[in-house]
Amino acid sequence: MPALATTLRDWTRTILHGGVDALLPQTCLACGTWVRLENPGVCPDCQAALDRLIRAHVCPRCGRTARPETIYDSGCAACRREQFWNVRGVARIGSYSTPLDRLTTRLKYGGRERNADFLADLMAESLSRYEWFSEVEALVPVPMHWRRRLQRPCDHALLLTVALARRTGVPMVNALRRVKHTPSQTRMTSRTSRFKNVSGCFAPRRSAKCLVGGTVCVVDNLLMSGATVCEVSKALRRAGAKRIYAAVIVRTVAPGDFELEPDAASGEDRAPVPSVDGSADR
């Protein structure tokens, strides 16, 4: 009887899923192709590409994809030369490549809240590999200026942080406000212009008082030059935060950065994440 009940249950589930698929077809969050209900999220092709990005070796300090021999406890060869870097470590899902680029842009410019939930699952999994995340007391979204909010379908960083807080149990604190409206960072053509563009853009809210002496994690969709995270960290330190980390969906590949080869990391387990010592916090 138990075997028969299990069989009937499986048949019923198959029929129900098939009916829902026919009436309310689900599409891949990245490429838009049809996917079956029992496999929500992304299609098999996008999932395979996503797994490849997730398996890549990553610098725990700056979030760049890097060759394993260039990664040290204090960072990779690239970020150890960046004097402006002022967060202790960065967790990311992968580099800005397909399908993560599509998942990110569909959230940011398309207002796809399903993407926020899906990406929060991946981000929570990424954060679980970092020892420092167990010390994080608050998740802080990068704030959006009210004028920019009128131009966008959603506040993507806020949506992502809310979803991430639900999955990790770490509370979200809306600790900052954006006090200056500036052009989008994607329009800036150089690292210097990006840092100048966001200089003095952020200020603490009253709610930031709870962060005094604490460990926080800044949450955003994308990390390019690091200028935004740098300025956000300055505002959090003015509010009294002691240790600051960052979690993003993607880190872009800048000129001179190591790029993952098409067949790199396939069939391999993800490399262990090295620890980051206090020398990275400056």
Side-chain angles (χ1 to χ4, degrees), residues 30-186:
C31 69
T33 59
W34 177 81
V35 293
R36 294 190 62 83
L37 185 64
E38 62 266 25
N39 296 310
V42 296
C43 67
D45 288 343
C46 286
Q47 185 62 58
L50 185 59
D51 290 341
R52 170 181 162 273
L53 294 177
I54 292 173
R55 287 196 301 267
H57 292 274
V58 58
C59 172
R61 182 171 178 245
C62 69
R64 284 185 175 90
T65 300
R67 292 185 177 87
E69 63 270 17
T70 67
I71 301 174
Y72 305 88
D73 286 347
S74 57
C76 66
C79 70
R80 290 168 75 187
R81 298 192 298 267
E82 294 177 343
Q83 297 301 315
F84 66 85
W85 201 259
N86 64 353
V87 293
R88 295 173 67 94
V90 174
R92 62 107 202 246
I93 298 172
S95 60
Y96 193 67
S97 304
T98 304
L100 279 175
D101 53 355
R102 295 174 180 173
L103 288 165
T104 304
T105 55
R106 286 186 173 206
L107 167 62
K108 185 173 182 178
Y109 299 109
R112 306 288 181 87
E113 294 192 22
R114 283 181 60 208
N115 286 37
D117 290 330
F118 179 77
L119 290 165
D121 285 335
L122 298 179
M123 189 175 286
E125 182 180 349
S126 174
L127 284 166
S128 69
R129 292 190 286 266
Y130 290 80
E131 293 182 4
W132 55 258
F133 189 64
S134 62
E135 303 172 2
V136 171
E137 301 163 89
L139 301 173
V140 178
V142 172
M144 182 181 290
H145 194 274
W146 66 267
R147 288 175 58 186
R148 181 59 48 78
R149 178 65 185 88
L150 293 176
Q151 301 169 357
R152 297 280 171 82
C154 68
D155 186 335
H156 55 278
L158 182 63
L159 283 177
L160 189 63
T161 309
V162 169
L164 188 60
R166 287 199 302 264
R167 285 153 177 79
T168 62
V170 178
M172 182 192 79
V173 178
N174 204 0
L176 302 176
R177 58 193 178 96
R178 188 152 188 159
V179 296
K180 289 170 56 178
H181 179 65
T182 59
S184 171
Q185 287 289 82
T186 58

Side-chain angles (χ1 to χ4, degrees), residues 86 137-138 140-141 143 173-177 202-216 218 230-244:
N86 64 353
E137 301 163 89
V140 178
V173 178
N174 204 0
L176 302 176
R177 58 193 178 96
F202 306 101
R205 296 178 182 269
R206 291 182 180 179
S207 56
K209 292 180 180 179
C210 66
L211 304 180
V212 175
T215 301
V216 302
V218 178
C230 181
E231 285 298 312
V232 166
S233 297
K234 290 178 182 178
L236 288 173
R237 284 195 171 83
R238 290 199 301 272
K242 186 176 180 180
R243 292 170 295 275
I244 302 173

Side-chain angles (χ1 to χ4, degrees), residues 1-53:
M1 290 298 292
L4 178 60
T6 300
T7 301
L8 290 174
R9 185 178 65 244
D10 291 342
W11 284 352
T12 301
R13 184 185 296 112
T14 300
I15 293 172
L16 288 174
H17 282 184
V20 173
D21 277 347
L23 296 173
L24 299 171
Q26 299 292 309
T27 57
C28 174
L29 298 176
C31 69
T33 59
W34 177 81
V35 293
R36 294 190 62 83
L37 185 64
E38 62 266 25
N39 296 310
V42 296
C43 67
D45 288 343
C46 286
Q47 185 62 58
L50 185 59
D51 290 341
R52 170 181 162 273
L53 294 177

